[in-house]
Amino acid sequence: MVCKLTSSLSPINIRNKIIKLISPLLLWSCLGLNGNYANDITFQDTPNIIYVDKNASGLKTGRSWNDAFTNISQALGQSSLNSSVWIAKGTYPEYITIPANVKFYGGFSGNESSLEERVISNNPTILDGGNQSQRIGPPMTGPVEGIVLTNSNTIIDGFTIKNGDGRLGYGIYLRGAENVIIKNNLIEENKAHSLGESGNYLGGAGIFCSAQNVTIDSNVFRNNQAQNTLSISVGGGIWLSNSKNVNVMNNIFDKNSAKYGGAICATNSNEI
């Protein structure tokens, strides 16, 4: 038997096992508390996954690998609360701002059905800031330009982030965010240089972080440089500035450079 809502009362919004109770009488009847319908209602979780594969040739709806979007900006434009964006191997020269409450995963071959099936080392998903002529989206203005800019409650997992060039955090830029996880990434060949006058600070070529409740785990930072003769360069790999409760663990730092803290520099930060 099927429970059909034919009452003139307001409907029930049933989604992802959450019931928004608008009409108590209607819910009472539909759940079998005033009848025999309880066994006829089933609930099914449907993960909100958006797929990206630069080589996909399908409908470009983002609803499957076959019909994946071919650039990341399209996927982020369609993302909503608690979306996950899965991105297949390839090079993506794009300006990217990850919305709040979106999980951002790379390292897929393009046929996986779970995160556990990924082999990130075999499927490099590259966010490349080096080729300006191929960049998608409007150019950012001002002294702060990151390949990946993040908001709160986000995950960045499984990418190669390279060839950024700016003043602060041209790999990943975090300011004012909270509850962010940066994990399983290769962050390399990014440069921070001064756009201001003598005495300015610059740094965080790999990651600039002015945020709280951040986890930076199991990443590789390689050949990131914060260098300028006119400015005070800090944190070639990571610069933590006015940050709180940041966990930096299980990372590898190789040949990163700055005047102060070639790997990591923390200023005005606590609970590190």
Side-chain angles (χ1 to χ4, degrees):
M1 182 180 293
V2 177
C3 177
K4 183 179 294 185
L5 305 181
T6 57
S7 170
S8 60
L9 298 175
S10 301
I12 303 171
N13 177 22
I14 301 177
R15 182 180 180 185
N16 294 332
K17 294 185 179 178
I18 300 174
I19 299 175
K20 183 178 180 181
L21 181 55
I22 300 176
S23 169
L25 179 59
L26 188 59
L27 179 66
W28 182 279
S29 175
C30 202
L31 292 183
L33 302 178
N34 191 29
N36 298 313
Y37 303 103
N39 293 331
D40 298 318
I41 299 177
T42 59
F43 297 92
Q44 182 177 1
D45 286 323
T46 54
N48 188 8
I49 299 173
I50 302 171
Y51 299 87
V52 179
D53 185 343
K54 65 176 300 181
N55 297 314
S57 58
L59 299 177
K60 296 180 175 57
T61 62
R63 296 180 180 178
S64 68
W65 285 122
N66 288 335
D67 295 325
F69 290 121
T70 54
N71 67 66
I72 298 169
S73 299
Q74 290 174 320
L76 293 177
Q78 295 297 315
S79 64
S80 58
L81 182 67
N82 297 322
S83 294
S84 293
V85 180
W86 291 13
I87 305 172
K89 62 184 178 182
T91 299
Y92 298 85
E94 302 184 43
Y95 295 94
I96 297 167
T97 300
I98 303 175
N101 304 296
V102 172
K103 301 175 180 65
F104 197 62
Y105 296 102
F108 296 93
S109 66
N111 57 19
E112 295 86 349
S113 58
S114 71
L115 290 174
E116 291 72 24
E117 295 178 39
R118 290 184 302 168
V119 182
I120 295 172
S121 60
N122 291 346
N123 301 296
T125 303
I126 302 169
L127 309 180
D128 192 342
N131 193 335
Q132 296 293 327
S133 65
Q134 295 182 17
R135 295 288 285 274
I136 295 173
M140 299 176 188
T141 59
V144 177
E145 299 183 355
I147 295 176
V148 177
L149 292 89
T150 65
N151 291 293
S152 296
N153 304 310
T154 60
I155 296 175
I156 306 169
D157 183 328
F159 295 91
T160 296
I161 300 171
K162 63 186 296 185
N163 293 332
D165 194 347
R167 180 185 173 203
L168 297 174
Y170 213 113
I172 297 174
Y173 178 79
L174 286 167
R175 184 185 290 277
E178 58 183 63
N179 303 322
V180 176
I181 297 173
I182 301 170
K183 187 174 183 179
N184 299 323
N185 302 287
L186 170 59
I187 302 172
E188 66 175 354
E189 304 291 347
N190 299 287
K191 296 179 181 180
H193 63 84
S194 177
L195 301 180
E197 299 176 355
S198 176
N200 282 353
Y201 280 86
L202 64 91
I207 296 176
F208 173 79
C209 177
S210 181
Q212 60 181 342
N213 301 328
V214 177
T215 297
I216 303 173
D217 181 14
S218 301
N219 304 281
V220 176
F221 295 83
R222 181 185 298 151
N223 292 329
N224 299 287
Q225 301 177 18
Q227 298 286 352
N228 189 287
T229 57
L230 297 178
S231 301
I232 302 171
S233 64
V234 297
I238 302 173
W239 181 12
L240 305 175
S241 175
N242 298 298
S243 294
K244 182 178 180 180
N245 192 23
V246 179
N247 292 315
V248 181
M249 55 190 180
N250 305 318
N251 299 282
I252 296 173
F253 295 86
D254 180 27
K255 297 184 177 70
N256 302 281
S257 61
K259 184 174 183 179
Y260 300 103
I264 303 175
C265 182
T267 57
N268 301 318
S269 298
N270 57 40
E271 299 182 39
I272 306 301

